[in-house]
Amino acid sequence: MNPFSYTRAVDPQQATSVIGSNASAKILAGGTNLIDLMKMGVERPTQLVDINRLPLTQIEELPNGGGVRIGGLARNSDVAEHPLIVQRYPVLSQALLAGASPQLRNLATTGGNLLQRTRCYYFYDPAFPQCNKRQPGSGCGALNGFNRIHAILGQSEQCIATNPSDMNVALAALDAVVQVQGAKGARSIPIGDFHRLPGDTPNIDTNLQADELITAVDLPAIPFATRSHYLKIRDRASYAFALVSVAAVLDLQNGKINGARIALGGVAHKPWRAQKAEAALQGQTADEKTFRAAAEAELAAAKGYKHNSFKIELAKRAIVRALSTAAAMA
Amino acid sequence: MPVRLKINGKDISADVDTRTTLLDLLRERLQLTGSKKGCDHGQCGACTVLVNGRRINSCLSLAVVHDGEEITTIEGLANGEQLHPMQAAFVEHDGFQCGYCTPGQICSAVACVKEGHAKSDDEIREWMSGNLCRCGAYPNIVDAIKDAVAKNA
Ligand SMILES: Cc1cc2nc3c(=O)[nH]c(=O)nc-3n(C[C@H](O)[C@H](O)[C@H](O)COP(=O)(O)OP(=O)(O)OC[C@H]3O[C@@H](n4cnc5c(N)ncnc54)[C@H](O)[C@@H]3O)c2cc1C
Ligand code: FES
Ligand code: FES
C-alpha cells in the first residue's frame, strides 16, 4: 500500500472540500473495496477522508408519503433488515442480503456499494499489463482473455467489465435517486444516469464529480414494489458475485401486467434496466410465455465472448424465473 | 498516528502507521495472534472480530478508523479459565480440524446467534458463509452453533 495521510471528516462540507481540492484524495467509508484495491496497488490515494463518523446513517420515510431515504453511510446490513425496506422494497433487502458476507455487510455502506469497482481480473491485478479502466490506452485484457464473468450488453471494444453490485440492480429497478453534495451545492442523480456505459472512457465508472459526496439514496413510493423479487445466480450458494442477477418488480391486476420494472446484474458495465422486456410485458397476461417473450426481447441485442456466451440463455431463464416468482407472490 | 481502543475490556493506546489494518495492529503490535490472516482481502473470514458487538473483517478495516471503539477478539471471549459457551460447543462437536479458521468462526458464530440468524441449519449455513473452512468442518460447525443456541449461548 502506498503511504497516505488520514483525515477524519467532521462534517460533509469538510469532506467535499478535501476531495475537491486534492485530486488524489479519496473518501473512506466501510473500506471493503477501497482498502482491498489499495492493497492490490490499483488505487493509490495520497489522502483518505474518513466519513464514518458523519451523521449520514438514517433510514427514514420521506415527507408527503414520498418513499424512503437511505443515508449514504447506512450499512448494507442495517438497510437490508430495516422494516421500511423489508416491507416496502423486499427486492432491495433481498439484493443486499445476497451480496458479500454478514461481516462485510456490517462495514459496507450505501455510498461505497454504489461506487464499488468492477471485479474484472484484468482490472483488479496490476500484474496484467492491459486494462483500459486502470490504464487508459493499454487495451482490454478481457476481450481476448478469460472473459467468463464479463458483459454481454452495452459493452465496447474498450471494456467488457461488469458492475459487480447486487444493491445497484435493485436500486435500478426501483428508480432510486442518488443525492450528492459537492463544493458548489447539492444535486440529485437518477440511478439510470449515475453509472456509465464504458464507451471510449471505461476509466470513468460514474457521473459523480470529483468533489461530490453521496449523502443519501431516495427510493420513490412504489406501492406495488411489495411484489418484487431478487434472483442471483452464482458459482456457489453464497458469498460469491453474481454471474447473472435479476431484480423484478411487478404491478399485477387480475392476472394482467399493469407495469413491470426489471433490472439485470452481472451482464453490463452498469445495472441494466431491461426496458425492452418491460415494454413487452405491458398489458399482457402474467404467464411463462409472456415472460419468455420479454426475456427474448431484452437479450436480442446481447453479444457473448469466448467464455461468457452462456450468460445470454442464463439471463433469459433468470428473467423468466424472477418474474414467475414475483407473479406467484401473495 | 495515535489510536486508542478498548480491546477485550482493556484500554490500549498505540501509535500506528495510517496503513495499519485492525488485524495487523492486533497481531503484529499487540501480540493478539488469535485472529488469523487467511486471505487479507475479505474473502475468508479468518480475521473476524467484533467491533462494538458487530462482526467485521479486521483485514479490510484500518486501525485508525476504530479510535475509541470496543474490540472483542477470540482472546476476549472466555471468562478467565471458563470457555465461552460457543468455544465449549466447538470443542464438544469437533468444529474444526487444523483450527486455522476457528477463531474467526467462533467470533462470527457468537455474533450470528446474537443477531438472531441461527434459527435453522440452512439459516446458520447462509449467515456463516463469510467464514470459509479449508478443512471442511462445516457439518460440525453447524452442530456446534445449534448446540450453543440450545444451551442459550
Ligand atoms: C470478498 C468480497 C465479496 C463481495 N461480494 C459481493 C457481492 O456478492 N455483491 C456485492 O454487491 N458486493 C460484494 N462485495 C463488495 C462490497 O459490497 C463492497 O466492497 C462494499 O459495498 C463497498 O462499500 P464500502 O462502504 O466498504 O466502500 P469503500 O471501500 O469505503 O469505498 C468504495 C469507493 O466508494 C467511495 N465512497 C464511499 N462512500 C462514499 C460517499 N458517501 N461519497 C462518495 N464516495 C464514496 C470511496 O472513495 C471508494 O472509491 C464483496 C466484497 C468482498 C471483499
Ligand atoms: S483474512 Fe480477513 S477475510 Fe481473510
Ligand atoms: S479447521 Fe482447518 S480451516 Fe477450518
Side-chain angles (χ1 to χ4, degrees):
Chain A
M1 226 189 272
N2 62 293
F4 55 85
S5 65
Y6 171 89
T7 309
R8 184 173 295 138
V10 292
D11 57 42
Q13 290 73 12
Q14 185 209 4
T16 56
S17 85
V18 175
I19 52 173
S21 59
N22 175 2
S24 65
K26 282 225 154 235
I27 298 286
L28 176 67
T32 60
N33 193 223
L34 183 56
I35 300 298
D36 195 22
L37 288 167
M38 286 168 67
K39 288 183 180 185
M40 296 301 294
V42 176
E43 302 272 17
R44 305 173 149 276
T46 58
Q47 183 176 14
L48 288 187
V49 188
D50 178 1
I51 59 169
N52 280 285
R53 313 269 162 126
L54 297 186
L56 299 171
T57 57
Q58 77 278 29
I59 303 166
E60 63 194 16
E61 282 190 280
L62 284 165
N64 315 322
V68 171
R69 170 162 292 179
I70 301 168
L73 257 182
R75 306 288 160 175
N76 286 180
S77 49
D78 295 330
V79 179
E81 301 215 77
H82 196 283
L84 284 173
I85 306 300
V86 174
Q87 283 155 22
R88 298 190 191 175
Y89 309 98
V91 67
L92 176 58
S93 176
Q94 291 166 17
L96 285 163
L97 293 180
S101 69
Q103 291 96 312
L104 288 163
R105 295 195 293 267
N106 275 343
L107 288 167
T109 62
T110 307
N113 199 327
L114 273 167
L115 293 173
Q116 68 168 298
R117 307 209 65 190
T118 184
R119 292 276 156 170
C120 171
Y121 334 107
Y122 300 91
F123 169 76
Y124 227 87
D125 188 349
F128 289 114
Q130 287 191 315
C131 175
N132 284 326
K133 189 181 276 299
R134 184 163 37 75
Q135 190 74 54
S138 62
C140 172
L143 200 57
N144 297 305
F146 187 57
N147 45 37
R148 183 168 180 272
I149 64 170
H150 290 77
I152 53 171
L153 287 165
Q155 69 274 36
S156 72
E157 290 290 296
Q158 268 45 262
C159 180
I160 60 171
T162 56
N163 184 297
S165 167
D166 293 296
M167 180 191 84
N168 294 348
V169 184
L171 293 184
L174 293 170
D175 283 321
V177 177
V178 184
Q179 304 293 355
V180 310
Q181 183 178 328
K184 288 192 223 77
R187 65 180 179 125
S188 308
I189 311 173
I191 186 79
D193 300 332
F194 187 81
H195 299 95
R196 295 160 59 101
L197 287 178
D200 291 331
T201 52
N203 52 312
I204 310 173
D205 288 352
T206 71
N207 289 317
L208 192 73
Q209 299 304 303
D211 64 331
E212 286 177 327
L213 178 77
I214 297 171
T215 52
V217 170
D218 289 352
L219 302 175
I222 309 175
F224 56 86
T226 47
R227 184 185 294 283
S228 63
H229 182 67
Y230 189 72
L231 173 65
K232 178 174 183 180
I233 303 193
R234 44 189 157 175
D235 282 325
R236 53 187 192 200
S238 184
Y239 201 14
F241 286 95
L243 287 167
V244 168
S245 71
V246 182
V249 182
L250 264 188
D251 182 8
L252 276 192
Q253 254 147 48
N254 307 320
K256 288 252 190 275
I257 300 161
N258 203 32
R261 299 180 189 201
I262 304 170
L264 308 179
V267 298
H269 196 260
K270 60 189 279 187
W272 187 264
R273 185 68 184 259
Q275 279 158 337
K276 295 198 182 80
E278 292 174 8
L281 293 171
Q282 193 66 39
Q284 304 295 311
T285 307
D287 60 21
E288 192 167 329
K289 201 166 133 253
T290 307
F291 298 157
R292 181 72 201 189
E296 294 287 352
E298 191 62 47
L299 274 298
K303 173 175 161 17
Y305 296 86
K306 188 165 180 201
H307 308 102
N308 74 346
S309 294
F310 73 95
K311 281 191 178 182
I312 299 175
E313 177 61 22
L314 187 62
K316 292 179 190 170
R317 293 187 194 182
I319 291 172
V320 173
R321 204 170 112 199
L323 287 170
S324 305
T325 307
M329 287 173 70
Chain B
M1 238 189 108
V3 54
R4 289 169 57 243
L5 299 161
K6 188 170 231 148
I7 300 180
N8 299 329
K10 253 177 47 198
D11 289 317
I12 303 258
S13 2
D15 199 26
V16 298
D17 185 298
T18 53
R19 291 171 289 187
T20 312
T21 60
L22 179 57
L23 178 62
D24 284 343
L25 171 66
L26 293 170
R27 289 182 54 83
E28 310 294 333
R29 297 285 301 279
L30 304 175
Q31 274 68 53
L32 289 169
T33 53
S35 308
K36 297 293 184 252
K37 185 182 283 192
C39 65
D40 215 19
H41 290 282
Q43 298 173 1
C44 75
C47 64
T48 303
V49 301
L50 308 179
V51 175
N52 300 335
R54 286 161 67 111
R55 48 178 163 163
I56 67 151
N57 306 73
S58 61
C59 70
L60 287 186
S61 205
L62 296 178
V64 288
V65 169
H66 297 290
D67 191 49
E69 298 188 328
E70 283 190 29
I71 320 288
T72 306
T73 69
I74 189 73
E75 289 92 344
L77 287 180
N79 185 1
E81 287 298 296
Q82 197 188 351
L83 291 180
H84 183 282
M86 190 62 76
Q87 291 174 307
F90 268 67
V91 172
E92 189 179 331
H93 291 271
D94 265 339
F96 46 78
Q97 284 180 39
C98 78
Y100 197 81
C101 70
T102 313
Q105 297 278 3
I106 291 177
C107 286
S108 195
V110 167
C112 181
V113 172
K114 202 180 94 192
E115 292 160 9
H117 292 136
K119 295 188 290 292
S120 68
D121 287 19
D122 278 351
E123 196 182 32
I124 292 171
R125 284 190 199 102
E126 172 59 30
W127 286 87
M128 287 297 292
S129 67
N131 294 81
L132 305 191
C133 173
R134 296 209 64 177
C135 298
Y138 298 113
N140 294 0
I141 293 172
V142 173
D143 287 347
I145 296 174
K146 270 199 309 196
D147 194 25
V149 173
K151 290 182 181 148
N152 214 349

